[in-house]
Amino acid sequence: MEKWELIAPCHFGLEAVLKREITELGYQISRVQDGKVFFWGDARAVADANIFLRTAERIMIKVGSIHAESFEELFEGVRKLRWDKFIPKDGKFWVAKANSVRSKLFSPSDIQSITKKAVVDRLRRVYGLRWFPEDGASYPIRVSIIDDEALIGLDTTGISLHKRGYRKFTVKAPLSETLAAALLMLTPWKSDRILVDPFCGGGTFPIEAAMIAANQAPGKARPFQAQEWLNVIAKKCWQDAREEAEDLVDRQIDVDIQGYDLDAKCIHYAHENAKLAGVDSMIHFQQRPLSQLSHSRKYGFLIANPPYGERLDEQADLEALYGEIGDVYSKLDSWSMFLLTAYKNAEKAIGRKADKNRKVYNGMLKAYYYQFLGPAPHRNKKHSDIVPA
Protein backbone atom coordinates (compact mmCIF):
# COMPACT_ATOMS: atom_id res chain seq x y z
CA MET A 1 0.00 0.00 0.00
CA GLU A 2 1.07 3.56 -0.66
CA LYS A 3 2.17 5.49 2.41
CA TRP A 4 1.22 9.05 3.20
CA GLU A 5 2.15 11.54 5.86
CA LEU A 6 -0.87 11.70 8.11
CA ILE A 7 -1.77 14.65 10.33
CA ALA A 8 -3.43 14.25 13.74
CA PRO A 9 -4.44 17.53 15.42
CA CYS A 10 -4.90 17.49 19.19
CA HIS A 11 -5.31 19.81 22.18
CA PHE A 12 -2.38 22.19 22.64
CA GLY A 13 -0.04 20.91 25.32
CA LEU A 14 -1.04 17.27 24.92
CA GLU A 15 1.01 16.33 21.86
CA ALA A 16 3.18 13.90 23.85
CA VAL A 17 0.14 11.83 24.83
CA LEU A 18 -1.02 11.52 21.21
CA LYS A 19 2.51 10.76 20.05
CA ARG A 20 2.66 7.86 22.50
CA GLU A 21 -0.71 6.56 21.30
CA ILE A 22 0.37 6.60 17.65
CA THR A 23 3.64 4.87 18.46
CA GLU A 24 1.81 2.17 20.41
CA LEU A 25 -0.39 1.59 17.35
CA GLY A 26 2.81 0.75 15.49
CA TYR A 27 3.19 3.81 13.28
CA GLN A 28 6.27 5.99 12.83
CA ILE A 29 6.17 9.62 13.95
CA SER A 30 7.57 12.02 11.35
CA ARG A 31 7.39 15.25 13.39
CA VAL A 32 5.49 17.10 16.09
CA GLN A 33 4.19 20.68 16.04
CA ASP A 34 2.10 22.65 18.49
CA GLY A 35 -1.31 21.01 18.37
CA LYS A 36 -0.36 18.46 15.69
CA VAL A 37 1.40 15.12 15.40
CA PHE A 38 2.54 13.87 11.98
CA PHE A 39 3.12 10.20 11.20
CA TRP A 40 3.54 7.82 8.29
CA GLY A 41 0.81 5.39 7.38
CA ASP A 42 -1.11 3.64 4.64
CA ALA A 43 -4.84 3.13 4.08
CA ARG A 44 -5.09 0.75 7.05
CA ALA A 45 -3.37 3.37 9.21
CA VAL A 46 -6.14 5.83 8.38
CA ALA A 47 -8.72 3.34 9.64
CA ASP A 48 -6.67 2.42 12.71
CA ALA A 49 -6.03 6.03 13.69
CA ASN A 50 -9.69 7.04 13.38
CA ILE A 51 -10.96 4.03 15.30
CA PHE A 52 -8.31 3.59 18.02
CA LEU A 53 -6.84 6.99 18.88
CA ARG A 54 -8.39 8.54 22.00
CA THR A 55 -6.71 11.95 21.99
CA ALA A 56 -6.67 13.04 18.31
CA GLU A 57 -9.31 15.46 17.03
CA ARG A 58 -9.26 14.15 13.46
CA ILE A 59 -7.00 12.40 10.93
CA MET A 60 -5.94 14.08 7.71
CA ILE A 61 -3.92 12.93 4.72
CA LYS A 62 -1.30 15.54 3.91
CA VAL A 63 -1.64 16.53 0.26
CA GLY A 64 1.15 19.10 0.39
CA SER A 65 2.72 22.14 1.99
CA ILE A 66 3.37 25.49 0.30
CA HIS A 67 5.17 28.70 1.17
CA ALA A 68 2.66 31.40 0.30
CA GLU A 69 2.91 35.12 1.01
CA SER A 70 0.36 36.04 -1.66
CA PHE A 71 -2.81 34.53 -3.06
CA GLU A 72 -1.00 34.03 -6.37
CA GLU A 73 1.58 31.85 -4.62
CA LEU A 74 -1.16 29.96 -2.82
CA PHE A 75 -3.08 29.35 -6.06
CA GLU A 76 -0.04 28.15 -8.00
CA GLY A 77 1.16 25.96 -5.16
CA VAL A 78 -2.21 24.29 -4.61
CA ARG A 79 -2.70 23.78 -8.36
CA LYS A 80 0.56 21.80 -8.57
CA LEU A 81 -0.51 19.26 -5.95
CA ARG A 82 -1.64 15.78 -7.06
CA TRP A 83 -5.33 16.12 -6.22
CA ASP A 84 -6.22 13.50 -8.85
CA LYS A 85 -4.55 10.85 -6.64
CA PHE A 86 -7.42 11.29 -4.19
CA ILE A 87 -10.40 13.06 -5.78
CA PRO A 88 -12.17 11.23 -8.64
CA LYS A 89 -14.09 12.86 -11.48
CA ASP A 90 -17.38 12.75 -9.59
CA GLY A 91 -15.91 13.66 -6.19
CA LYS A 92 -17.51 16.43 -4.15
CA PHE A 93 -14.81 18.69 -2.75
CA TRP A 94 -14.71 21.94 -0.82
CA VAL A 95 -12.47 23.71 1.70
CA ALA A 96 -14.17 22.84 4.98
CA LYS A 97 -11.90 25.02 7.10
CA ALA A 98 -9.02 27.45 6.75
CA ASN A 99 -7.07 29.24 9.44
CA SER A 100 -4.07 31.53 9.52
CA VAL A 101 -1.58 32.46 12.23
CA ARG A 102 1.20 35.08 11.89
CA SER A 103 0.82 35.05 8.10
CA LYS A 104 0.32 37.60 5.34
CA LEU A 105 -2.72 35.67 4.16
CA PHE A 106 -5.18 36.10 6.98
CA SER A 107 -8.69 35.95 5.51
CA PRO A 108 -10.14 32.42 5.97
CA SER A 109 -12.87 32.97 3.37
CA ASP A 110 -10.37 34.16 0.74
CA ILE A 111 -8.02 31.26 1.52
CA GLN A 112 -10.92 28.86 1.06
CA SER A 113 -12.00 30.44 -2.21
CA ILE A 114 -8.52 30.54 -3.77
CA THR A 115 -7.76 26.96 -2.70
CA LYS A 116 -11.01 25.65 -4.19
CA LYS A 117 -10.33 27.44 -7.48
CA ALA A 118 -6.83 25.98 -7.64
CA VAL A 119 -8.07 22.43 -7.04
CA VAL A 120 -10.75 22.86 -9.72
CA ASP A 121 -8.14 24.15 -12.17
CA ARG A 122 -5.86 21.17 -11.50
CA LEU A 123 -8.60 18.58 -11.90
CA ARG A 124 -9.94 20.24 -15.06
CA ARG A 125 -6.51 19.84 -16.65
CA VAL A 126 -6.11 16.23 -15.50
CA TYR A 127 -9.62 14.97 -16.31
CA GLY A 128 -10.27 17.19 -19.33
CA LEU A 129 -13.54 18.42 -17.85
CA ARG A 130 -15.04 21.91 -17.85
CA TRP A 131 -17.68 21.09 -15.25
CA PHE A 132 -17.67 18.66 -12.33
CA PRO A 133 -20.91 16.91 -11.29
CA GLU A 134 -19.68 16.53 -7.67
CA ASP A 135 -22.32 13.87 -7.01
CA GLY A 136 -19.93 11.23 -5.68
CA ALA A 137 -18.14 10.80 -2.36
CA SER A 138 -17.20 13.89 -0.32
CA TYR A 139 -13.56 15.00 0.08
CA PRO A 140 -13.35 17.92 2.53
CA ILE A 141 -10.11 19.93 2.37
CA ARG A 142 -8.47 21.77 5.29
CA VAL A 143 -5.86 24.51 5.07
CA SER A 144 -3.71 25.76 7.94
CA ILE A 145 -1.27 28.61 7.35
CA ILE A 146 1.35 29.35 10.02
CA ASP A 147 4.20 31.81 9.38
CA ASP A 148 3.34 31.83 5.66
CA GLU A 149 3.62 28.02 5.40
CA ALA A 150 0.38 26.48 4.19
CA LEU A 151 -0.36 22.90 5.23
CA ILE A 152 -3.05 21.30 3.07
CA GLY A 153 -4.80 18.05 3.86
CA LEU A 154 -7.84 15.91 3.17
CA ASP A 155 -10.04 15.27 6.19
CA THR A 156 -10.64 11.53 6.55
CA THR A 157 -12.68 11.89 9.76
CA GLY A 158 -15.60 14.21 9.10
CA ILE A 159 -17.31 14.88 12.42
CA SER A 160 -14.57 15.43 15.02
CA LEU A 161 -13.20 12.38 16.83
CA HIS A 162 -14.32 13.75 20.19
CA LYS A 163 -17.82 12.84 19.02
CA ARG A 164 -17.69 9.20 20.15
CA GLY A 165 -21.44 8.86 19.76
CA TYR A 166 -22.33 8.33 23.42
CA ARG A 167 -22.85 11.88 24.69
CA LYS A 168 -26.46 12.45 23.71
CA PHE A 169 -27.22 14.17 27.02
CA THR A 170 -25.12 17.28 27.64
CA VAL A 171 -24.61 19.53 30.63
CA LYS A 172 -23.33 23.09 30.93
CA ALA A 173 -19.60 23.50 30.17
CA PRO A 174 -18.97 19.84 29.23
CA LEU A 175 -15.44 18.48 29.00
CA SER A 176 -14.58 17.11 25.55
CA GLU A 177 -14.05 13.36 25.30
CA THR A 178 -10.60 13.69 23.71
CA LEU A 179 -9.39 16.09 26.40
CA ALA A 180 -10.77 13.87 29.18
CA ALA A 181 -9.01 10.84 27.72
CA ALA A 182 -5.71 12.71 27.38
CA LEU A 183 -5.86 13.96 30.98
CA LEU A 184 -6.58 10.44 32.23
CA MET A 185 -3.67 9.10 30.23
CA LEU A 186 -1.38 11.66 31.88
CA THR A 187 -2.05 10.04 35.25
CA PRO A 188 -0.54 6.77 36.55
CA TRP A 189 -4.07 5.40 37.06
CA LYS A 190 -4.60 1.76 36.13
CA SER A 191 -7.78 -0.27 36.10
CA ASP A 192 -6.98 -1.95 39.42
CA ARG A 193 -7.08 1.41 41.23
CA ILE A 194 -10.21 3.25 42.32
CA LEU A 195 -11.08 6.41 40.36
CA VAL A 196 -13.58 9.04 41.56
CA ASP A 197 -14.86 12.18 39.85
CA PRO A 198 -16.84 14.28 42.38
CA PHE A 199 -17.97 16.80 39.70
CA CYS A 200 -18.85 14.28 37.01
CA GLY A 201 -21.44 16.32 35.11
CA GLY A 202 -22.44 14.24 32.09
CA GLY A 203 -19.96 11.54 33.06
CA THR A 204 -17.13 12.15 30.58
CA PHE A 205 -14.20 11.34 32.89
CA PRO A 206 -15.75 8.10 34.28
CA ILE A 207 -16.95 6.96 30.85
CA GLU A 208 -13.58 7.58 29.18
CA ALA A 209 -11.85 5.81 32.09
CA ALA A 210 -14.15 2.80 31.71
CA MET A 211 -13.49 2.65 27.98
CA ILE A 212 -9.73 2.75 28.63
CA ALA A 213 -10.02 0.02 31.28
CA ALA A 214 -12.07 -2.20 28.95
CA ASN A 215 -9.71 -1.50 26.03
CA GLN A 216 -12.73 -0.27 24.08
CA ALA A 217 -11.71 1.72 21.00
CA PRO A 218 -13.42 5.14 21.01
CA GLY A 219 -14.29 5.07 17.30
CA LYS A 220 -15.44 1.47 17.15
CA ALA A 221 -19.10 2.26 16.53
CA ARG A 222 -19.09 5.52 14.57
CA PRO A 223 -18.74 6.33 10.85
CA PHE A 224 -15.95 8.30 9.18
CA GLN A 225 -15.74 10.49 6.10
CA ALA A 226 -13.14 8.35 4.33
CA GLN A 227 -15.32 5.24 4.41
CA GLU A 228 -16.79 6.66 1.19
CA TRP A 229 -13.37 6.92 -0.46
CA LEU A 230 -13.36 3.53 -2.14
CA ASN A 231 -10.84 4.80 -4.69
CA VAL A 232 -8.37 5.50 -1.86
CA ILE A 233 -9.20 3.19 1.07
CA ALA A 234 -10.68 -0.27 0.56
CA LYS A 235 -13.67 -1.37 2.65
CA LYS A 236 -11.58 -4.22 4.02
CA CYS A 237 -9.32 -1.77 5.86
CA TRP A 238 -12.25 -0.49 7.87
CA GLN A 239 -13.74 -3.96 8.35
CA ASP A 240 -10.46 -5.42 9.62
CA ALA A 241 -9.83 -2.49 11.97
CA ARG A 242 -13.33 -2.72 13.45
CA GLU A 243 -13.06 -6.48 13.91
CA GLU A 244 -9.76 -6.04 15.70
CA ALA A 245 -11.28 -3.33 17.90
CA GLU A 246 -14.15 -5.63 18.85
CA ASP A 247 -11.82 -8.54 19.61
CA LEU A 248 -9.74 -6.39 21.98
CA VAL A 249 -12.63 -5.33 24.21
CA ASP A 250 -12.58 -6.86 27.71
CA ARG A 251 -16.08 -6.45 29.12
CA GLN A 252 -15.36 -8.72 32.09
CA ILE A 253 -12.72 -6.51 33.67
CA ASP A 254 -13.34 -5.67 37.34
CA VAL A 255 -13.01 -1.94 38.03
CA ASP A 256 -14.11 0.64 40.59
CA ILE A 257 -14.94 3.88 38.80
CA GLN A 258 -17.27 6.33 40.52
CA GLY A 259 -18.93 9.58 39.48
CA TYR A 260 -20.72 11.98 41.82
CA ASP A 261 -22.50 15.27 41.30
CA LEU A 262 -24.75 17.48 43.39
CA ASP A 263 -27.16 17.89 40.46
CA ALA A 264 -29.60 15.00 40.02
CA LYS A 265 -30.05 15.87 36.33
CA CYS A 266 -26.31 15.46 35.76
CA ILE A 267 -26.36 12.02 37.34
CA HIS A 268 -29.30 10.99 35.13
CA TYR A 269 -27.48 12.25 32.03
CA ALA A 270 -24.27 10.48 33.08
CA HIS A 271 -26.17 7.19 33.50
CA GLU A 272 -27.73 7.51 30.05
CA ASN A 273 -24.44 8.45 28.38
CA ALA A 274 -22.68 5.50 30.02
CA LYS A 275 -25.39 3.17 28.69
CA LEU A 276 -24.88 4.51 25.17
CA ALA A 277 -21.14 3.96 25.55
CA GLY A 278 -21.77 0.39 26.72
CA VAL A 279 -19.90 0.86 30.02
CA ASP A 280 -22.74 1.62 32.47
CA SER A 281 -22.12 -1.62 34.39
CA MET A 282 -18.55 -0.48 35.08
CA ILE A 283 -19.40 2.85 36.75
CA HIS A 284 -21.14 3.76 40.00
CA PHE A 285 -22.95 7.11 39.63
CA GLN A 286 -24.58 8.79 42.61
CA GLN A 287 -26.01 12.18 43.55
CA ARG A 288 -23.74 13.30 46.35
CA PRO A 289 -22.23 16.61 47.56
CA LEU A 290 -18.47 17.01 47.65
CA SER A 291 -18.49 17.17 51.45
CA GLN A 292 -19.66 13.54 51.65
CA LEU A 293 -16.81 12.16 49.57
CA SER A 294 -14.77 9.72 51.62
CA HIS A 295 -13.26 6.30 51.10
CA SER A 296 -11.59 3.76 53.33
CA ARG A 297 -9.29 2.35 50.68
CA LYS A 298 -5.82 3.75 49.98
CA TYR A 299 -4.05 4.70 46.77
CA GLY A 300 -7.12 5.92 44.91
CA PHE A 301 -7.39 8.67 42.31
CA LEU A 302 -9.56 11.76 42.40
CA ILE A 303 -9.91 13.46 39.02
CA ALA A 304 -12.18 16.39 38.26
CA ASN A 305 -12.99 19.41 36.14
CA PRO A 306 -14.51 21.55 38.93
CA PRO A 307 -16.16 24.95 38.39
CA TYR A 308 -13.63 27.72 37.80
CA GLY A 309 -15.49 30.92 37.14
CA GLU A 310 -17.56 29.99 34.12
CA ARG A 311 -20.30 28.55 36.32
CA LEU A 312 -19.84 30.52 39.55
CA ASP A 313 -20.21 34.30 39.67
CA GLU A 314 -18.29 35.16 42.80
CA GLN A 315 -14.61 34.59 43.49
CA ALA A 316 -15.54 34.03 47.14
CA ASP A 317 -17.59 31.01 46.07
CA LEU A 318 -14.59 29.62 44.20
CA GLU A 319 -12.27 30.10 47.14
CA ALA A 320 -14.68 28.25 49.43
CA LEU A 321 -15.22 25.46 46.91
CA TYR A 322 -11.51 24.84 46.36
CA GLY A 323 -10.94 25.03 50.09
CA GLU A 324 -13.49 22.23 50.45
CA ILE A 325 -11.70 20.23 47.73
CA GLY A 326 -8.52 20.57 49.77
CA ASP A 327 -10.25 19.43 52.97
CA VAL A 328 -11.78 16.37 51.29
CA TYR A 329 -8.51 15.42 49.63
CA SER A 330 -6.54 15.71 52.87
CA LYS A 331 -8.71 12.95 54.37
CA LEU A 332 -8.18 10.52 51.49
CA ASP A 333 -5.22 8.50 52.70
CA SER A 334 -2.48 8.03 50.07
CA TRP A 335 -4.68 9.23 47.20
CA SER A 336 -3.60 11.25 44.16
CA MET A 337 -5.65 14.17 42.84
CA PHE A 338 -5.78 15.66 39.35
CA LEU A 339 -7.71 18.89 38.69
CA LEU A 340 -8.29 20.78 35.45
CA THR A 341 -9.13 24.39 36.26
CA ALA A 342 -8.65 27.99 35.13
CA TYR A 343 -9.04 29.28 38.69
CA LYS A 344 -5.74 31.04 39.34
CA ASN A 345 -5.82 30.66 43.14
CA ALA A 346 -6.59 26.94 43.12
CA GLU A 347 -3.42 25.83 44.91
CA LYS A 348 -3.70 28.55 47.54
CA ALA A 349 -7.34 27.69 48.27
CA ILE A 350 -6.59 23.94 48.36
CA GLY A 351 -3.78 24.60 50.79
CA ARG A 352 -1.12 22.63 48.94
CA LYS A 353 1.17 23.21 46.00
CA ALA A 354 0.73 20.73 43.17
CA ASP A 355 3.57 18.30 42.47
CA LYS A 356 3.14 18.95 38.76
CA ASN A 357 1.33 21.64 36.80
CA ARG A 358 0.60 21.53 33.07
CA LYS A 359 -0.88 24.29 30.92
CA VAL A 360 -3.78 22.97 28.83
CA TYR A 361 -6.27 24.70 26.56
CA ASN A 362 -9.86 23.68 27.20
CA GLY A 363 -11.34 24.97 23.98
CA MET A 364 -10.05 28.56 23.75
CA LEU A 365 -9.72 28.88 27.52
CA LYS A 366 -6.29 28.53 29.07
CA ALA A 367 -6.43 26.20 32.04
CA TYR A 368 -4.01 24.28 34.25
CA TYR A 369 -3.86 20.62 35.07
CA TYR A 370 -2.81 20.39 38.71
CA GLN A 371 -1.35 17.03 39.71
CA PHE A 372 -1.14 16.16 43.41
CA LEU A 373 0.69 12.85 43.63
CA GLY A 374 0.17 10.31 46.36
CA PRO A 375 2.58 7.45 47.11
CA ALA A 376 2.71 4.40 44.88
CA PRO A 377 1.14 1.27 46.41
CA HIS A 378 3.24 -1.66 47.48
CA ARG A 379 3.71 -4.18 44.68
CA ASN A 380 1.82 -6.90 46.54
CA LYS A 381 -1.03 -4.58 47.50
CA LYS A 382 -4.39 -5.77 46.18
CA HIS A 383 -7.14 -3.38 45.13
CA SER A 384 -9.95 -5.79 44.33
CA ASP A 385 -13.34 -6.06 45.97
CA ILE A 386 -13.65 -2.30 46.35
CA VAL A 387 -17.17 -1.11 47.02
CA PRO A 388 -18.58 2.43 46.76
CA ALA A 389 -18.43 4.43 49.97
Side-chain angles (χ1 to χ4, degrees), residues 166-171 197 199-208 210 258-261 263-287:
Y166 68 73
R167 196 164 70 182
K168 301 296 184 184
F169 300 88
T170 59
V171 298
D197 179 359
F199 301 93
C200 73
T204 309
F205 267 137
I207 292 170
E208 289 295 319
Q258 303 177 26
Y260 303 128
D261 204 284
D263 190 335
K265 182 184 291 185
C266 287
I267 294 300
H268 171 69
Y269 287 174
H271 268 297
E272 294 303 314
N273 289 336
K275 287 179 184 177
L276 290 169
V279 294
D280 53 306
S281 64
M282 301 172 64
I283 307 170
H284 172 74
F285 288 113
Q286 184 178 340
Q287 183 183 3

Side-chain angles (χ1 to χ4, degrees), residues 160-235:
S160 175
L161 290 176
H162 81 269
K163 298 283 190 181
R164 318 287 207 214
Y166 68 73
R167 196 164 70 182
K168 301 296 184 184
F169 300 88
T170 59
V171 298
K172 189 176 180 181
L175 185 69
S176 84
E177 294 88 328
T178 47
L179 180 55
L183 296 179
L184 282 161
M185 293 166 72
L186 279 172
T187 77
W189 174 76
K190 301 296 181 184
S191 59
D192 63 342
R193 308 272 292 277
I194 180 175
L195 182 76
V196 178
D197 179 359
F199 301 93
C200 73
T204 309
F205 267 137
I207 292 170
E208 289 295 319
M211 291 173 67
I212 290 171
N215 204 21
Q216 180 173 313
K220 182 170 68 73
R222 56 154 285 178
F224 302 100
Q225 187 71 62
Q227 287 178 237
E228 302 177 6
W229 302 358
L230 301 183
N231 62 313
V232 179
I233 302 173
K235 279 186 177 181

Side-chain angles (χ1 to χ4, degrees), residues 57-316:
E57 292 299 312
R58 65 183 63 253
I59 304 300
M60 296 183 289
I61 298 174
K62 178 184 170 183
V63 181
S65 57
I66 301 159
H67 182 82
E69 299 183 31
S70 67
F71 284 116
E72 289 78 14
E73 287 181 321
L74 179 65
F75 181 88
E76 289 301 324
V78 171
R79 186 173 65 171
K80 291 176 181 177
L81 299 177
R82 291 291 310 277
W83 294 102
D84 49 295
K85 288 175 60 178
F86 303 102
I87 303 174
K89 291 181 180 180
D90 64 346
K92 179 181 179 181
F93 56 96
W94 73 101
V95 182
K97 186 174 182 179
N99 59 55
S100 175
V101 178
R102 301 185 303 271
S103 298
K104 295 179 179 63
L105 304 181
F106 54 83
S107 168
S109 59
D110 288 337
I111 294 168
Q112 288 174 297
S113 176
I114 294 298
T115 301
K116 168 80 176 188
K117 289 178 181 178
V119 177
V120 168
D121 191 73
R122 168 75 187 194
L123 294 181
R124 276 177 178 167
R125 293 166 184 258
V126 172
Y127 293 134
L129 298 175
R130 293 182 58 84
W131 175 81
F132 291 90
E134 296 197 60
D135 55 2
S138 296
Y139 298 79
I141 301 165
R142 287 181 169 247
V143 182
S144 175
I145 305 179
I146 301 176
D147 296 325
D148 300 321
E149 294 295 326
L151 178 65
I152 302 157
L154 281 171
D155 178 12
T156 73
T157 302
I159 298 172
S160 175
L161 290 176
H162 81 269
K163 298 283 190 181
R164 318 287 207 214
Y166 68 73
R167 196 164 70 182
K168 301 296 184 184
F169 300 88
T170 59
V171 298
K172 189 176 180 181
L175 185 69
S176 84
E177 294 88 328
T178 47
L179 180 55
L183 296 179
L184 282 161
M185 293 166 72
L186 279 172
T187 77
W189 174 76
K190 301 296 181 184
S191 59
D192 63 342
R193 308 272 292 277
I194 180 175
L195 182 76
V196 178
D197 179 359
F199 301 93
C200 73
T204 309
F205 267 137
I207 292 170
E208 289 295 319
M211 291 173 67
I212 290 171
N215 204 21
Q216 180 173 313
K220 182 170 68 73
R222 56 154 285 178
F224 302 100
Q225 187 71 62
Q227 287 178 237
E228 302 177 6
W229 302 358
L230 301 183
N231 62 313
V232 179
I233 302 173
K235 279 186 177 181
K236 185 170 173 36
C237 291
W238 298 101
Q239 292 168 350
D240 289 349
R242 291 189 193 280
E243 287 177 8
E244 181 181 347
E246 185 61 38
D247 290 342
L248 290 172
V249 178
D250 180 5
R251 294 187 174 87
Q252 305 304 315
I253 190 166
D254 184 22
V255 295
D256 186 1
I257 300 171
Q258 303 177 26
Y260 303 128
D261 204 284
L262 187 60
D263 190 335
K265 182 184 291 185
C266 287
I267 294 300
H268 171 69
Y269 287 174
H271 268 297
E272 294 303 314
N273 289 336
K275 287 179 184 177
L276 290 169
V279 294
D280 53 306
S281 64
M282 301 172 64
I283 307 170
H284 172 74
F285 288 113
Q286 184 178 340
Q287 183 183 3
R288 176 186 287 192
L290 175 65
S291 60
Q292 292 182 15
L293 174 57
S294 63
H295 210 286
S296 60
R297 301 302 294 257
K298 293 184 177 183
Y299 308 113
F301 285 78
L302 189 155
I303 188 166
N305 176 37
Y308 41 80
E310 303 302 300
R311 291 168 282 181
L312 291 178
D313 296 330
E314 302 295 334
Q315 289 296 306

